Amino acid sequence: MRLSFACLVGNFAGWVSRISGRGRGETLRGRTILAIDPRALIKLSKGRELVLVSGTNGKTTTTAYLVRMLEAATGELVSTSKYGANMSAGIATALAQGPRNRLVVLECDELYLPSMAQDLQPKVIVLLNLSRDQLHRTGEVRKVANLWRDTFVTDDVTLVIDRDDPFLEFAAGSAGHVLRVSFGGRRHPDAATCPNCLKLLDWGSGDYLCSCGLGSQLAQVRGDQRLRGPARNAVLAIEAARLMGAIVPIELATELTENAPDRISNFEIGGHSIATRLAKNPESWREALAQVEAKCVILSVNARGIDGRDTSWLWDIDYSALIGKKVICTGDRRLDVAYRVKVQGVVEVATTETFEAAIAQAGSGPVEGIASYTAFQELAAAQLGIHARQGGRP
Amino acid sequence: MTLTIVRLYHDLLGTYGDQGNAEVLVHRAKAREIPVELVEVTPGMTVPTSGDIYLLGGGEDGPQTAALELLRADGGLNSAVTSGAALFTVCAGFQLIGSSLPGADGETISGLGIVDVHTVYTSAPRSVGELVCQPTRSHLPLLTGFENHQGLTELGPEMQPLGMVKRGIGNGFAGAEGVWHGNIIGTYMHGPALVRNPELADVLLASAVGDLVEFHDPYADALASERRKTLWPHS
Ligand SMILES: [Zn+2]
C-alpha cells in the first residue's frame, strides 16, 4: 500500500519536474519514492530477475546493449534506467517503471554497488573495468576494489568480469561464481602495484602475477585482442545475457562488437552537426582521442562537481593524435587544456568562452568535439531546450 | 652540456598528473635553446647519479611505499642531491624524501632523509582543494595548485617552507606549505605545480644552468594568472 502510494507521488513529482523544465525528472521521482517508502528498492525488485552493470567507463552504453539483447532474445520488455541515473533514486525510478517486467537491467554507480547488490539481489553483476576517476570522490582505485571485494562473498550471484583488469580480479577474489572474459591481456595504466598486497606487480606481455598469488586467471571466454573499450563491454554484455538464459541473435552480437557505438552525440549548434564524445577520465579521453578523424577538434573542459575539481589528470593523457589539427579549447578550464596540447606539440590552438564561439571559429570543414561531464550535459540540455521550443507548446 | 631531467617512477607516482612537471621543464628549456634530455626511470632501472633535475610525483599509498623502498635500495637519488642536483617533489614524493612518514598500514617508517620533515596521519579530514601560498622567496609571485592528501607534514627546525598558506591546508602545521632547502623543493601542489607556476619551473632550470633568457609563453602565463586571479582575487 505504502509502496504504490510512494510510486504514485513519485510519478507526480517527476512529471512536475519535467514540465517545469528542471531535467528529466528521473532523480526527483526516485527520491520521492524512497522518501515515502525507504524499503521501496527491496520491494520493487522482489521476484524479478536483475542484472547490475558497474565499472568506471561504459556503464550506460553497456546497460543499453544488454537491454537490447534481452529484449531481442526474449521478446519481453526490460525495465532499465535510460539516462544513466545510477544511484539509489535513479534506480528506484527505473524499477517503478514497468513494475511487472520480469527482467531488469540497471547501471550502478561504483560506490553504490555494495548496497544495491544487497537490496536488489541481482542474478548477474557485470564488472566492466576500474580505473582512475574523480579522485576526490571515489578515492583511490584500490579503495573501490576493496569495497567490492568485501561485498562479493556469496554464491547467489554470478560476476562477469574482464579478467585482464587486476582490480576486478582482486574484487572478485572471494566471490562464489565468476565468469572471466579475457581479451588477451593488456597492461593496466593504474596497476603498477598489486591491488592486494601493494608490492610491485610483475607484468609480462599483458598478463600479470604477484608473489602474493594474485595473477591473471584462466578465462572461460576469450575475446579478440584488438577490440576497443565499447566492444569489449559488448562482449561482457553478451555473456551476461547468456547467463540470464537469453540467446543473443548473432546479427545483434556482431553489430555491437564490430561496430560498438561510443558514447557519442551529434549536437546541432549554429547550423553545424558536431559529433561529440563524452570523456570524463583519463581512460575515456584516451578512447575518444584515438577515434578523432576531423581536422578540427573542440575540447571542452570544466572542473565542476562530478567532473572532479582537479584538472591535473589532463597531463596523464597523450594528445599526439591532435598534432597537425586545429584545436579549439572551451569550458571553464580551457586554459589548462590549451596549454597542455600546446606543450604536446599542437601548433594551432585557440580558446573561446563558449562552445558556440568555438564552432564559429572552426570554419566550414567537419568538426568533432570531446567534452568533460558537465560540459557534455550542458550541450545535451541545450539540445533538449532547443527541441522543446521547436516542438512548440500548445 | 645537455641538461638532464630525471623523471622517477612515473608509473608509480603519476596518479595526479605530476609527470607534466617534466614536460614543462623540457618545454621551457627547449624554448631557450638549452639542449635537454628527459630520462625516464622505471622500477628495475638504476637511478642515474649524473642528472641535473630529479622529479618525484604524487601517488597512492602502496606505490609510494614501493617507490620509497626502490629509491632506498638504489641510493642514487641521495647521492645525486648530495652532489648538488635539484630535486622537485610533490605530495607522496615530498613525503617520502622526508625523515619519517606513515607506511601503507599507517605505521611510522623512515623516509629517504633528504630533508628533515615528518609526515603524520591525524584525525583531520583529507585535505582536498585549491591551495594558494605566498612563496618565502620574495622574487616569486603567488603559487597555486590543487592539494589532495591525508598526511600532514611538520618541518624540522632547520627547514624553510616553500610558502605560507593563504588558502587551503598545505603542510597542516604553522601555516606552512612544502619545503625549500637548497635546491630541493617539496610541495603538496598538483596542477601540475610547474604548469600553473612557470616561475617555479624557471627557478629549477636556473639552479641547473644559471641565468635564463626571458621567455614569455602566452598560454602558460595566461593560465598562471587566471588561476591566481580566480583563487586569490585580493591580489
Ligand atoms: Zn600481491
Side-chain angles (χ1 to χ4, degrees):
Chain A
M1 191 56 220
R2 182 173 201 165
L3 178 65
S4 52
F5 175 66
C7 292
L8 194 69
V9 178
N11 282 341
F12 179 70
W15 178 75
V16 169
S17 152
R18 246 186 340 269
I19 61 153
S20 58
R22 269 178 285 155
R24 295 189 176 102
E26 303 266 305
T27 306
L28 182 59
R29 184 175 170 201
R31 274 198 204 130
T32 312
I33 295 173
L34 288 171
I36 296 173
D37 188 347
R39 289 173 53 80
L41 288 176
I42 297 171
K43 293 180 189 168
L44 285 166
S45 59
K46 209 164 206 154
R48 305 169 78 179
E49 295 185 23
L50 279 96
V51 188
L52 298 183
V53 178
S54 196
T56 310
N57 288 320
K59 294 184 282 285
T60 306
T61 38
T62 310
T63 301
Y65 297 160
L66 195 45
V67 169
R68 274 184 71 186
M69 291 175 190
L70 291 177
E71 289 187 340
T74 64
E76 297 174 35
L77 280 177
V78 176
S79 293
T80 188
S81 155
K82 289 204 177 68
Y83 302 107
N86 60 16
M87 303 186 189
S88 319
I91 286 174
T93 304
L95 286 166
Q97 269 157 355
R100 274 180 286 278
N101 295 345
R102 176 179 67 101
L103 295 166
V104 185
V105 182
L106 299 168
E107 99 166 65
C108 186
D109 178 82
E110 297 90 290
L111 297 181
Y112 279 75
L113 188 60
S115 71
M116 290 302 124
Q118 168 99 52
D119 285 355
L120 306 175
Q121 296 290 311
K123 211 170 149 181
V124 173
I125 301 177
V126 186
L127 303 178
L128 302 170
N129 48 59
L130 274 181
S131 69
R132 246 179 314 148
D133 185 37
Q134 302 179 42
L135 286 167
H136 72 280
R137 187 177 84 93
T138 53
E140 304 178 351
V141 184
R142 204 168 65 87
K143 284 187 183 140
V144 179
N146 261 316
L147 187 69
W148 285 6
R149 189 184 173 92
D150 294 341
T151 305
F152 305 130
V153 291
T154 57
D155 55 7
D156 49 9
V157 57
T158 302
L159 305 181
V160 179
I161 69 167
D162 175 352
R163 85 87 159 102
D164 300 338
D165 185 326
F167 292 105
L168 297 184
E169 190 58 61
F170 172 67
S174 311
H177 301 290
V178 184
L179 187 129
R180 292 180 172 84
V181 183
S182 171
F183 301 92
R186 60 191 188 285
R187 198 187 162 104
H188 191 301
D190 304 324
T193 56
C194 173
N196 180 41
C197 73
L198 305 176
K199 283 210 251 325
L200 277 177
L201 208 49
D202 186 2
W203 283 91
S205 62
D207 276 357
Y208 61 92
L209 183 65
C210 180
S211 53
C212 74
L214 188 81
S216 302
Q217 298 294 305
L218 203 64
Q220 289 98 319
V221 177
R222 297 204 151 260
D224 193 317
Q225 187 149 26
R226 289 161 304 182
L227 295 182
R228 294 185 305 99
R232 290 199 296 268
N233 293 342
V235 174
L236 296 176
I238 292 169
E239 293 311 316
R242 249 196 263 280
L243 288 170
M244 296 299 284
I247 309 294
V248 179
I250 187 80
E251 310 78 52
L252 181 57
T254 316
E255 181 202 324
L256 290 179
T257 49
E258 285 186 354
N259 194 16
D262 285 295
R263 194 153 184 191
I264 183 167
S265 297
N266 284 295
F267 294 122
E268 308 291 334
I269 300 164
H272 286 68
S273 172
I274 318 287
T276 304
R277 291 183 172 82
L278 167 67
K280 49 182 184 157
N281 51 38
E283 200 50 39
S284 55
W285 269 83
R286 288 180 198 118
E287 281 278 345
L289 285 164
Q291 324 253 341
V292 169
E293 283 171 356
K295 280 266 171 254
C296 179
V297 185
I298 301 175
L299 306 177
S300 184
V301 176
N302 287 341
R304 308 176 194 161
I306 194 158
D307 297 319
R309 289 170 290 145
D310 180 14
T311 53
S312 307
W313 56 270
L314 289 169
W315 290 79
D316 287 349
I317 301 159
D318 181 0
Y319 300 81
S320 43
L322 299 178
I323 292 174
K325 296 183 191 291
K326 177 173 182 176
V327 177
I328 306 171
C329 304
T330 184
D332 301 344
R333 301 300 291 271
R334 54 189 176 272
L335 287 170
D336 293 81
V337 69
Y339 185 45
R340 172 66 190 106
V341 296
K342 200 86 197 169
V343 170
Q344 180 89 56
V346 178
V347 178
E348 213 180 332
V349 181
T351 58
T352 60
E353 236 169 85
T354 64
F355 206 92
E356 289 74 12
I359 291 163
Q361 277 218 7
S364 54
V367 186
E368 288 175 48
I370 300 177
S372 65
Y373 212 98
T374 58
F376 191 89
Q377 279 179 328
E378 265 178 12
L379 289 169
Q383 296 288 299
L384 284 175
I386 288 160
H387 289 315
R389 251 174 270 134
Q390 278 170 351
R393 273 190 210 143
Chain B
M1 178 208 125
T2 300
L3 172 71
T4 307
I5 294 166
V6 184
R7 178 157 60 184
L8 297 162
Y9 307 132
H10 112 240
D11 254 13
L12 292 167
L13 299 174
T15 310
Y16 298 89
D18 301 312
Q19 52 269 43
N21 290 326
E23 275 153 65
V24 163
L25 289 173
V26 170
H27 183 73
R28 296 184 77 79
K30 277 187 178 161
R32 294 170 164 115
E33 292 171 355
I34 300 167
V36 59
E37 180 194 18
L38 176 61
V39 176
E40 205 69 75
V41 175
T42 57
M45 280 172 68
T46 305
V47 177
T49 52
S50 57
D52 297 301
I53 304 173
Y54 290 76
L55 299 168
L56 276 169
E60 307 186 343
D61 301 345
Q64 179 187 34
T65 316
L68 170 59
E69 292 319 322
L70 287 167
L71 289 169
R72 200 197 306 279
D74 181 279
L77 180 62
N78 287 61
S79 24
V81 292
T82 308
S83 16
L87 172 60
F88 185 74
T89 63
V90 185
C91 203
F94 166 35
Q95 296 176 348
L96 74 82
I97 65 164
S99 315
S100 70
L101 64 153
D105 298 314
E107 78 285 14
T108 301
I109 58 174
S110 59
L112 293 180
I114 291 172
V115 285
D116 182 26
V117 307
H118 300 261
T119 300
V120 291
Y121 283 165
T122 66
S123 55
R126 196 174 173 86
S127 310
V128 184
E130 293 285 350
L131 178 59
V132 178
C133 72
Q134 180 72 57
T136 47
R137 304 197 190 177
S138 57
H139 64 287
L140 287 172
L142 280 185
L143 303 174
T144 78
F146 193 96
E147 62 182 326
N148 188 349
H149 55 104
Q150 182 65 56
L152 298 178
T153 301
E154 192 164 21
L155 302 182
E158 307 292 310
M159 297 289 128
Q160 291 299 313
L162 171 63
M164 298 308 290
V165 175
K166 294 177 88 74
R167 169 182 170 154
I169 308 293
N171 294 353
F173 286 95
E177 152 54 20
V179 70
W180 196 341
H181 182 68
N183 285 335
I184 301 157
I185 293 176
T187 179
Y188 275 115
M189 293 186 293
H190 302 290
L194 302 184
V195 168
R196 284 172 53 165
N197 305 284
E199 303 81 0
L200 199 55
D202 285 354
V203 164
L204 286 166
L205 289 175
S207 77
V209 302
D211 286 345
L212 298 168
V213 295
E214 278 222 21
F215 164 53
H216 287 291
D217 190 348
Y219 277 117
D221 298 344
L223 171 60
S225 78
E226 181 271 328
R227 288 287 87 199
R228 284 169 190 148
K229 282 197 191 106
T230 305
L231 301 171
W232 198 253
H234 330 286
S235 64

